[in-house]
Amino acid sequence: MPCPKLTPLQARFAACLAATLFLLFLYLVPLNIRFAYAIDVDSIIREDHNHPILLDLDIPLGLLGPKPVNVVSEDNVTLAKRAPDGTDALANNEPRLKNIDMGETQHWVIPKEVVTGPKSPSTPGLPAFVRSNDEATQSDRSSFQEDMKPDGDLSRRATVVYVTVNTCIQPSLNTTQRSDDSSPPQLRLFYSQDSSVKEPGPNTPNVRSVDLDDGFASVEIEAEGDVYIGIFAPTHQRYGGIYNYEVAASVDAPFHSLEPDTPFLYFVDSDNKAALLQTNATTEAKQGAQSYTDWMNLNPPPFTMFAHNMNHSAILGIQKSYCGLSKNAQIGRMGSNIKAKMIDRGLKPKEQFYVTGLNQSSRYYGILAMSGNSTASGNGVVGGGGKVWKTMNFTTKSDDNCAIVYDLEFCREVAYAVPSNNALNISELKTIYDNYAASVYENFTFSLAQIPCNTSSTSMYSLARGCKDCEKAYKSWLCAVTIPRCQDFSSTLPFLLPRNTGQAFLNGTILPEDNELRQNVLTNSSRNPLIDSKIKPGPYKEVLPCREVCYDLVQSCPSALGFVCPTKQWLNNSYGMMSENGDVTCSYLGAAYFMKGAASRIGSMGASMGLVLSFWALVWGLYA
Ligand SMILES: *[C@@H]1O[C@H](CO)[C@@H](O)[C@H](O)[C@H]1NC(C)=O
Ligand SMILES: *[C@@H]1O[C@H](CO)[C@@H](O)[C@H](O)[C@H]1NC(C)=O
Ligand SMILES: *[C@@H]1O[C@H](CO)[C@@H](O)[C@H](O)[C@H]1NC(C)=O
Ligand SMILES: *[C@@H]1O[C@H](CO)[C@@H](O)[C@H](O)[C@H]1NC(C)=O
Ligand SMILES: *[C@@H]1O[C@H](CO)[C@@H](O)[C@H](O)[C@H]1NC(C)=O
Ligand SMILES: *[C@@H]1O[C@H](CO)[C@@H](O)[C@H](O)[C@H]1NC(C)=O
Ligand SMILES: *[C@@H]1O[C@H](CO)[C@@H](O)[C@H](O)[C@H]1NC(C)=O
Ligand SMILES: *[C@@H]1O[C@H](CO)[C@@H](O)[C@H](O)[C@H]1NC(C)=O
Ligand SMILES: *[C@@H]1O[C@H](CO)[C@@H](O)[C@H](O)[C@H]1NC(C)=O
Ligand SMILES: *[C@@H]1O[C@H](CO)[C@@H](O)[C@H](O)[C@H]1NC(C)=O
Ligand SMILES: *[C@@H]1O[C@H](CO)[C@@H](O)[C@H](O)[C@H]1NC(C)=O
Ligand SMILES: *[C@@H]1O[C@H](CO)[C@@H](O)[C@H](O)[C@H]1NC(C)=O
């Protein structure tokens, strides 16, 4: 290939850079049971009373039961009396937690006073989701929470009553041999509005029912009077112990909710003990817009997540239950193992989760969740039972020479595993990479300063692109190239390139001298020599930067800077190709697995590929 004439500075860039996821419960069954009973206390009594109207109601005496059971609040007198013997009343948005034995059916009633009672005042909710193409008009109330239905037609007397159930604790296998991934049978929810069927259950004919699905059930009942609920726990010969569940009724919105269609949670990268995940963009508004600012300002952040080792069956059967996950997931909620915050990597607000305490080479379930309505949870809160999203999965790495870094000062968009060494802690590692990139960038700004960017449009190098674009493109390229994305040396993925094979592994072993990986300059060192000398990670594999990162550089910067992307095998050995299905087969800033639009900039690059090629020809023409 004909080599362009380069200044010494350009030569340095081009040469060194361009060419080269409570298992305890399962095992400790007695503890499990004790704990389960302990949480059955009516601890959910709260001081506040939202139903003064109930006290004024005229109770039909014929419906009074002989003794009130499990009184809940002052309203309890009114409510509990209405219920048949042994039946508890449910008040609006007041969840009840109860144990149930296998084979047992328990009954609840939602009294007419609750059904026709006042709705809760509406709350602000999360900030709006704004679509990018239509900022002003399309802004709607956030879809992350269940809408509170407006009262609607006042002449209609029926109210929608939302009845939801979460399984919190399941029976455990009473055989020691666990053979499969099966889980205990699901609870079943029965409901009736017929005053002749006050105790709906498996033996009641013609009564509507729904099985819980992975620990979750939600039904909408149009009612004008009392609603009768039955919860049935099936028996199973392989399982023993009790269930514990939470049931709630609301006239506002479902107390517990589920988003079954999207995980809304994407895997960014992992090392052998931690993983980085993020949500999809929570708004498409541009920086500076109200919605953007509102999301970024959420502190604490709105979502939480759960992670659980796929080889441990404790959460099977309760994956759609917030209550179940919060009691059983190995890693969850805002415990010490999850660091969450709002970020705007990839230009749009989203929440990031840094999950620690994971095992190496393990597969994990990841489940996005919201505690209550995100700012409040539990008794009296509309949607206070929390929400969970569809389960996704991720894996951890096996080798210990890749480490996740994020929040770099200069290379702000870098958030993935980089070559590392146990001898260095994460902050030292970040500093080494970041300082290096920043110093190279500084030299670049000196060069750029000599280019007429800020002159009249005729003498500018390009009408379409200015120096700001060049600076941005150079920074993206520089960060992607000097801070390589690291993968296990043992990984066999075809798009990975072995690096630094001339160095010994961290355990001291070294590849045999005649190994061709040690003979080849391309593989026996790192792309950034600083890695081999200062970090000494030993052999690792690199996810090459995407070609588009280079094309964008060439396209955005003045040709006088002499940036040219390599061709043929040089290109293949330096840059990777993007995958169509969203797999991360090459490195670009903001990359996340199977997340469309993870990098807005790269997206626009793909679209302008034709332009790139013709521009290429131009650059080529200049140097040929
Ligand atoms: C109803 O609940 C309140 C407090 O929650 C309690 O003081 C009161 O005794 C209960 N009423 C009855 C009849 O048990
Ligand atoms: C959550 O519920 C509480 C209590 O009802 C309310 O004060 C708060 O504003 C709600 N949060 C959101 C984000 O709507
Ligand atoms: C498991 O426990 C249940 C209830 O405790 C019992 O009926 C069943 O026979 C037990 N099964 C085995 C295999 O021990
Ligand atoms: C987890 O399960 C997979 C497949 O079922 C198995 O190959 C692997 O060895 C298991 N890992 C552990 C640590 O048990
Ligand atoms: C890690 O592995 C150990 C041993 O197999 C297991 O007991 C533990 O539950 C695992 N933890 C996680 C978070 O996967
Ligand atoms: C993990 O998720 C992917 C897609 O999200 C799916 O294709 C795959 O089957 C899942 N793996 C397991 C073990 O559930
Ligand atoms: C990392 O190591 C440096 C120097 O050894 C030390 O000053 C710093 O406190 C360490 N940081 C952390 C987070 O451990
Ligand atoms: C920046 O340029 C100076 C002067 O040419 C040189 O000494 C220095 O090594 C360069 N820095 C980097 C990181 O290339
Ligand atoms: C161009 O002008 C802007 C503002 O006047 C300045 O911030 C920027 O650094 C200039 N760029 C160059 C390359 O001189
Ligand atoms: C890498 O390979 C080249 C060419 O074979 C050789 O000259 C060089 O010494 C090797 N470097 C290392 C660190 O083994
Ligand atoms: C050292 O680590 C490498 C890669 O992790 C592995 O292939 C090799 O077997 C290990 N050697 C010893 C002696 O444990
Ligand atoms: C992420 O959200 C955008 C809208 O903001 C949507 O177009 C895109 O399909 C979502 N990505 C995935 C992977 O669901």
Side-chain angles (χ1 to χ4, degrees):
M1 116 184 178
C3 262
K5 196 165 157 284
L6 298 170
T7 66
L9 195 65
Q10 293 159 350
R12 229 169 286 122
F13 294 138
C16 74
L17 300 171
T20 32
L21 196 194
F22 255 57
L23 186 72
L24 219 56
F25 291 129
L26 264 182
Y27 291 134
L28 307 174
V29 177
L31 180 69
N32 172 6
I33 293 171
R34 242 180 284 124
F35 178 67
Y37 281 109
I39 60 171
D40 187 29
V41 292
D42 282 319
S43 58
I44 42 181
I45 295 165
R46 72 193 163 107
E47 306 314 318
D48 95 34
H49 304 276
N50 281 330
H51 320 281
I53 197 165
L54 291 176
L55 300 172
D56 303 331
L57 284 173
D58 191 10
I59 311 296
L61 293 170
L63 284 174
L64 296 185
K67 65 176 166 73
V69 196
N70 283 1
V71 288
V72 176
S73 66
E74 248 171 67
D75 307 339
N76 58 14
V77 190
T78 337
L79 291 176
K81 277 182 184 162
R82 292 189 50 85
D85 198 4
T87 300
D88 286 355
L90 292 170
N92 196 24
N93 300 314
E94 294 190 9
R96 300 293 302 271
L97 204 56
K98 212 167 175 189
N99 288 341
I100 185 168
D101 286 318
M102 295 183 97
E104 191 186 354
T105 309
Q106 292 177 348
H107 303 284
W108 302 88
V109 61
I110 306 161
K112 182 176 178 186
E113 292 76 11
V114 170
V115 172
T116 58
K119 297 200 178 200
S120 305
S122 70
T123 54
L126 288 169
F129 176 88
V130 177
R131 300 207 178 280
S132 58
N133 47 6
D134 207 342
E135 302 252 330
T137 56
Q138 288 227 16
S139 126
D140 36 30
R141 199 184 149 109
S142 169
S143 59
F144 302 108
Q145 283 153 325
E146 301 300 320
D147 275 339
M148 287 177 60
K149 301 279 191 303
D151 271 341
D153 186 359
L154 290 174
S155 62
R156 266 182 58 214
R157 300 198 49 207
T159 310
V160 175
V161 182
Y162 302 92
V163 180
T164 53
V165 186
N166 261 193
T167 307
C168 302
I169 291 172
Q170 302 184 106
S172 38
L173 263 177
N174 58 1
T175 57
T176 44
Q177 18 124 311
R178 73 161 47 96
S179 48
D180 48 36
D181 280 351
S182 67
S183 55
Q186 294 283 320
L187 294 172
R188 187 179 301 169
L189 168 68
F190 292 86
Y191 53 105
S192 142
Q193 288 173 258
D194 182 348
S195 59
S196 66
V197 189
K198 291 184 178 168
E199 300 197 335
N203 303 320
T204 333
N206 304 323
V207 59
R208 287 184 292 174
S209 74
V210 51
D211 279 332
L212 271 70
D213 173 22
D214 280 337
F216 174 85
S218 176
V219 292
E220 289 180 23
I221 306 167
E222 269 196 33
E224 293 173 37
D226 297 345
V227 175
Y228 306 95
I229 304 292
I231 305 281
F232 169 64
T235 53
H236 194 288
Q237 77 272 29
R238 296 188 62 217
Y239 292 88
I242 50 126
Y243 289 89
N244 178 272
Y245 68 92
E246 189 172 66
V247 60
S250 174
V251 295
D252 304 306
F255 191 75
H256 306 95
S257 44
L258 169 73
E259 172 51 67
D261 299 327
T262 165
F264 205 69
L265 180 66
Y266 300 91
F267 178 50
V268 176
D269 208 353
S270 66
D271 53 35
N272 68 345
K273 45 190 171 304
L276 199 64
L277 297 100
Q278 68 184 29
T279 65
N280 196 353
T282 54
T283 180
E284 291 176 3
K286 293 201 175 76
Q287 191 164 13
Q290 191 63 42
S291 152
Y292 189 105
T293 312
D294 289 348
W295 278 106
M296 291 306 294
N297 287 343
L298 288 179
N299 190 22
F303 306 107
T304 181
M305 69 166 281
F306 298 100
H308 194 87
N309 196 315
M310 279 190 179
N311 282 25
H312 298 272
S313 60
I315 68 162
L316 290 179
I318 47 169
Q319 279 155 288
K320 297 177 180 167
S321 160
Y322 185 89
C323 184
L325 288 168
S326 60
K327 292 189 166 45
N328 294 278
Q330 288 172 316
I331 302 212
R333 304 181 72 177
M334 295 303 183
S336 53
N337 280 326
I338 295 182
K339 278 193 203 150
K341 64 175 196 170
M342 293 300 300
I343 55 161
D344 56 3
R345 214 166 42 223
L347 303 178
K348 298 293 175 224
K350 47 180 80 74
E351 188 173 334
Q352 166 182 281
F353 303 93
Y354 178 64
V355 185
T356 52
L358 303 176
N359 290 343
Q360 65 177 66
S361 316
S362 301
R363 297 179 308 144
Y364 286 89
Y365 293 114
I367 305 167
L368 183 72
M370 188 160 67
S371 169
N373 70 4
S374 88
T375 57
S377 66
N379 225 350
V381 176
V382 176
K387 176 166 181 172
V388 300
W389 275 256
K390 187 181 169 184
T391 304
M392 51 80 75
N393 58 57
F394 62 89
T395 56
T396 50
K397 294 195 167 63
S398 60
D399 301 347
D400 57 357
N401 63 346
C402 295
I404 290 179
V405 297
Y406 63 95
D407 277 351
L408 275 63
E409 234 168 81
F410 176 72
C411 287
R412 285 189 62 229
E413 301 266 312
V414 164
Y416 45 78
V418 300
S420 74
N421 185 323
N422 311 330
L424 296 165
N425 64 32
I426 297 286
S427 58
E428 289 172 296
L429 192 66
K430 279 162 62 174
T431 309
I432 292 174
Y433 282 111
D434 207 32
N435 287 354
Y436 180 70
S439 70
V440 175
Y441 185 81
E442 202 187 352
N443 281 358
F444 159 79
T445 57
F446 298 153
S447 309
L448 189 64
Q450 295 162 14
I451 308 278
C453 288
N454 283 350
T455 52
S456 67
S457 57
T458 45
S459 54
M460 258 173 68
Y461 66 89
S462 154
L463 293 172
R465 306 266 172 136
C467 278
K468 284 268 163 293
D469 298 303
C470 175
E471 282 168 6
K472 261 165 108 174
Y474 182 74
K475 188 174 172 177
S476 295
W477 174 80
L478 178 67
C479 292
V481 159
T482 53
I483 314 184
R485 189 167 175 138
C486 179
Q487 260 282 12
D488 286 331
F489 187 71
S490 53
S491 173
T492 55
L493 292 171
F495 52 84
L496 299 174
L497 196 71
R499 296 284 195 192
N500 201 18
T501 52
Q503 221 168 55
F505 288 99
L506 295 187
N507 62 14
T509 53
I510 186 161
L511 289 172
E513 206 156 345
D514 58 352
N515 189 310
E516 66 180 77
L517 294 176
R518 271 190 70 177
Q519 306 293 330
N520 189 337
V521 198
L522 202 61
T523 55
N524 75 6
S525 60
S526 290
R527 171 177 217 127
N528 172 354
L530 183 83
I531 297 175
D532 302 358
S533 64
K534 270 193 134 170
I535 297 173
K536 301 190 176 73
Y540 63 94
K541 284 189 177 169
E542 183 187 342
V543 183
L544 297 171
C546 299
R547 305 172 164 198
E548 286 81 357
V549 176
C550 184
Y551 294 147
D552 188 46
L553 172 68
V554 170
Q555 194 183 355
S556 304
C557 286
S559 51
L561 287 172
F563 294 126
V564 171
C565 297
T567 53
K568 297 178 187 157
Q569 79 270 30
W570 299 107
L571 180 64
N572 293 338
N573 288 329
S574 314
Y575 294 99
M577 276 203 278
M578 287 181 100
S579 133
E580 255 166 47
N581 67 3
D583 193 6
V584 179
T585 53
C586 64
S587 176
Y588 57 95
L589 302 181
Y593 285 86
F594 305 105
M595 183 174 160
K596 286 178 237 153
S600 25
R601 189 162 178 84
I602 286 267
S604 69
M605 281 180 233
S608 60
M609 214 45 193
L611 180 68
V612 176
L613 290 173
S614 53
F615 185 82
W616 227 128
L618 184 69
V619 173
W620 208 232
L622 283 174
Y623 289 110

